[in-house]
Amino acid sequence: DIQMTQSPSSLSASVGDRVTITCRASQTIDNYLNWYQQKPGKAPNLLIYKTSTLHSGVPSRFSGSGSGTEFTLTINNLQPEDFAMYYCQHSLRNLYTFGQGTKLEIK
Amino acid sequence: QVQLQESGPGLVKPSQTLSLTCTVSGDSISSGGFYWTWIRQHPEKGLEYIGYIYHTGTTYYNPSLKSRATISVDTSENKFSLTLSSVTAADTAMYYCTRDRIGSMAGVWMTWGQGALVTVSS
């Protein structure tokens, strides 16, 4: 299995801040890396796929980068609605796996 | 716009079989082009991929489920189902159905059901 490790596991920030979340894969996954946002009581919501492609309707303050084994999700100008859990996930091949999540909290 | 809706018992006794159904609207499973997928999320924990079914009946399962999982499809009813046998408390989770497009977008889940919480307890 490909293991996905996110850091940090939690993060405190203020509205207007810029934050970065890192995801590392235990082996190369090319650009097959996706990011999801999850709010309490809701299903995960796709933000970014294939490392850097924004899903339809996702604000441009979200961006993704990386390749191989190291990837980042950056959120610029944090908005109140951005405080949530974030998960990375590889889609290189079955068996797909997720990172353990990063909780983004209001400072 | 496709919508997915999970349904099934919220409480299952240990050693029994968990059964969930995902009803699809806004798209036809039999039209092909998508894997119809189950994912679960343990309480306060991360997400786990369970497996998928294609409209032809082809399936894939997470080996960690040790052959306890079965995914089936009913194209006449436009729904697909998950059964998980010999459940334990470790199977307590929110179960989501979703779909991903075959090919280069496999494993990218754009559309999810709202989830069905299943608790395993006597």
Side-chain angles (χ1 to χ4, degrees):
Chain A
D1 302 1
I2 299 174
Q3 308 302 317
M4 307 300 294
T5 304
Q6 281 179 242
S7 60
S9 56
S10 64
L11 178 58
S12 294
S14 301
V15 172
D17 284 355
R18 177 177 186 256
V19 299
T20 298
I21 298 169
T22 297
C23 181
R24 289 185 173 86
S26 60
Q27 58 187 269
T28 183
I29 56 171
D30 298 332
N31 70 334
Y32 290 94
L33 191 283
N34 312 308
W35 292 97
Y36 297 83
Q37 177 193 68
Q38 187 177 33
K39 295 183 178 179
K42 300 292 188 182
N45 186 41
L46 179 68
L47 292 175
I48 290 171
Y49 60 94
K50 297 280 186 70
T51 297
S52 59
T53 302
L54 256 61
H55 181 43
S56 175
V58 174
S60 59
R61 62 180 180 274
F62 290 89
S63 63
S65 64
S67 66
T69 62
E70 187 155 338
F71 303 85
T72 57
L73 170 69
T74 299
I75 313 172
N76 289 299
N77 187 24
L78 271 172
Q79 296 300 298
E81 61 267 28
D82 299 337
F83 292 95
M85 286 291 294
Y86 291 86
Y87 294 94
C88 64
Q89 171 246 336
H90 88 82
S91 54
L92 175 65
R93 60 176 181 270
N94 277 325
L95 167 63
Y96 308 123
T97 51
F98 294 83
Q100 79 279 16
T102 296
K103 187 173 186 177
L104 177 55
E105 298 176 298
I106 299 177
K107 186 182 289 183
Chain B
Q1 180 180 348
V2 65
Q3 291 187 313
L4 307 172
Q5 175 80 53
E6 304 89 348
S7 59
L11 181 64
V12 181
K13 289 181 167 48
S15 80
Q16 295 193 342
T17 297
L18 174 162
S19 295
L20 293 171
T21 295
C22 182
T23 301
V24 180
S25 58
D27 188 18
S28 171
I29 291 176
S30 58
S31 66
F34 292 94
Y35 297 119
W36 301 92
T37 297
W38 289 96
I39 292 167
R40 69 181 180 178
Q41 185 168 30
H42 301 280
E44 306 302 327
K45 293 183 182 178
L47 294 144
E48 181 181 29
Y49 176 68
I50 297 172
Y52 72 76
I53 191 162
Y54 193 54
H55 73 98
T56 57
T58 298
T59 54
Y60 173 86
Y61 301 104
N62 187 331
S64 72
L65 294 168
K66 296 179 183 176
S67 302
R68 296 190 298 125
T70 301
I71 301 175
S72 58
V73 65
D74 183 341
T75 54
S76 66
E77 296 283 330
N78 214 36
K79 57 180 68 169
F80 63 106
S81 300
L82 168 70
T83 61
L84 189 63
S85 63
S86 305
V87 297
T88 69
D91 295 308
T92 293
M94 183 72 80
Y95 287 77
Y96 295 102
C97 59
T98 180
R99 72 169 191 177
D100 48 316
R101 189 176 292 278
I102 65 172
S104 65
M105 291 295 285
V108 180
W109 300 298
M110 297 183 178
T111 306
W112 297 63
Q114 88 281 6
L117 179 62
V118 178
T119 301
V120 178
S121 175
S122 55

